[in-house]
Structures are given as C-alpha cells and as structure tokens.
Amino acid sequence: MSLVLDPAAQDLLFREARTANTFTDEPVTEEQVQAIYDLVKFGPTAFNQTPLRITLVRSAEARERLVKHLAEGNQAKTAAAPLVAILSADNEFHEELPQLLPHFPQAKDMFFAERPVRESAAALNAALQAAYFIIGVRAAGLAAGPMTGLDFEGLRKEFLDDDHTPLMVVNIGRPGEDAWFPRSPRLAYDEVVTTV
Ligand SMILES: Cc1cc2nc3c(=O)[nH]c(=O)nc-3n(C[C@H](O)[C@H](O)[C@H](O)COP(=O)(O)O)c2cc1C
C-alpha cells in the first residue's frame, strides 16, 4: 500500500530481478541500449554533472581484449554474454557543466576547477548512475551481471584514457540456464535504519 509503483514493476526491478551469470544467445540491440540510457539519464546527480560514460564491447576482438583483464571467475561468462558494457567516470565532466546546468554555469569554475575534487565527485555520481543503469537494464526485461573483479588499471589502459576511471563491467542479456546463485539474505530494515 505504501508503494505507488505497480507491483509487477516492483518485482521486475527488484524482488524477482537477479544478478545473471549465464545468458541466452539472444542479442541485445542498439535500440534496447538506447532505450535504457534514455530512461536512466534522468536519474539525479550532483549539479546534474552526469559523469557516467558507457563503452559497449561488441566486437569479438574487443571482447578478447576485455576478458584478459577480468578475474578468472568472471572470464567465461563475459566471453559468452550477448553484450558487455564498461562503465566509467569522466573526470573532465566539468567541460559539459555549462550545458548541463544552464541556470548556474559558473559552477564549472567555482566548484570543479581542481582535478582531485572532480575525481571524487565523478566517482560518487557515476556510481549512482551505474546503479540507475543496472535498474534500467532490468526495466528492459533483461538481466545485468555487474563485476568489479578485474584489473582496473589494465582495463583503463586498454579501453579508456587518463581522464576516465573505470567503475565496473556489466554483462547484459536474457538469463540463461542456471543463471544465478541462491538468493542471499539482505539486512532487515531495523539493522540498517536509525532515526534520530
Ligand atoms: C558493483 C558490483 C560488483 C560485483 N562484482 C562481481 C564480480 O566481480 N563477480 C561476480 O561474479 N559477481 C559480482 N557481483 C555480483 C554480486 O555478487 C551480486 O549482484 C549480489 O550478490 C546480489 O545478487 P542477486 O542480485 O542475485 O541477489 C557484483 C555486483 C556489483 C553490484
């Protein structure tokens, strides 16, 4: 009664959504990824800085270059996933700020002139957007398999540049056979929430 979102949508996004470790061969199309992005781009970030950048790994050659930077347990499922996305934070996001924050374009120089400040802001806000992205994948009726078990510096050198910090790699597709481990417990409300 307290949630206004349709119960079927609650299940799709959270209760029945799982982290997939196997996928069918069904391709994930450009149109699906665009629809996911065009939904989740509205998720909030500080100063509307939207520092998330997404690299879609589609070619077999690029997939091979990616897999070698992953922990062994993440390699086979990533090699077989229909689509893989590298999510990264753009540490030079401030260049777009005047366009993204038209009512306060001075924010670029007032708050983000220094690189270390931008790096910590980008890390937080791109991580938020990564979470929105995972939920967006679920909204498309697909499953996501996010991974941080990887060599981040190797990944950065292989696909990105000094201005981009990789956050995670996400396998995307329809879940295949034995796609998930048993659901692990979550902390209860009283273990997490305090009221002062
Ligand atoms: C940021 C992040 C990093 C993760 N890294 C890995 C990983 O490297 N390898 C892996 O097999 N699972 C990884 N996982 C999957 C988690 O273990 C999984 O999402 C969690 O246990 C919840 O599973 P469930 O959605 O099926 O309930 C990662 C998940 C997230 C969100």
Side-chain angles (χ1 to χ4, degrees), residues 117-194:
V117 175
R118 293 200 298 275
E119 284 181 6
S120 65
L124 172 62
N125 288 283
L128 281 172
Q129 288 189 282
Y132 307 147
F133 181 78
I134 291 167
I135 304 306
V137 167
R138 294 170 170 187
L142 300 169
M147 295 166 292
T148 49
L150 56 94
D151 167 13
F152 281 90
E153 190 50 22
L155 184 71
R156 193 187 62 71
K157 285 193 181 129
E158 188 81 46
F159 290 99
L160 306 169
D161 57 31
D162 284 342
D163 292 336
H164 293 80
T165 304
L167 297 172
M168 67 186 75
V169 171
V170 186
N171 292 332
I172 302 168
R174 292 210 187 273
E177 269 180 49
D178 295 325
W180 30 76
F181 304 116
R183 183 73 118 176
S184 297
R186 303 301 203 255
L187 296 175
Y189 182 83
D190 290 346
E191 295 173 284
V192 173
V193 179
T194 49

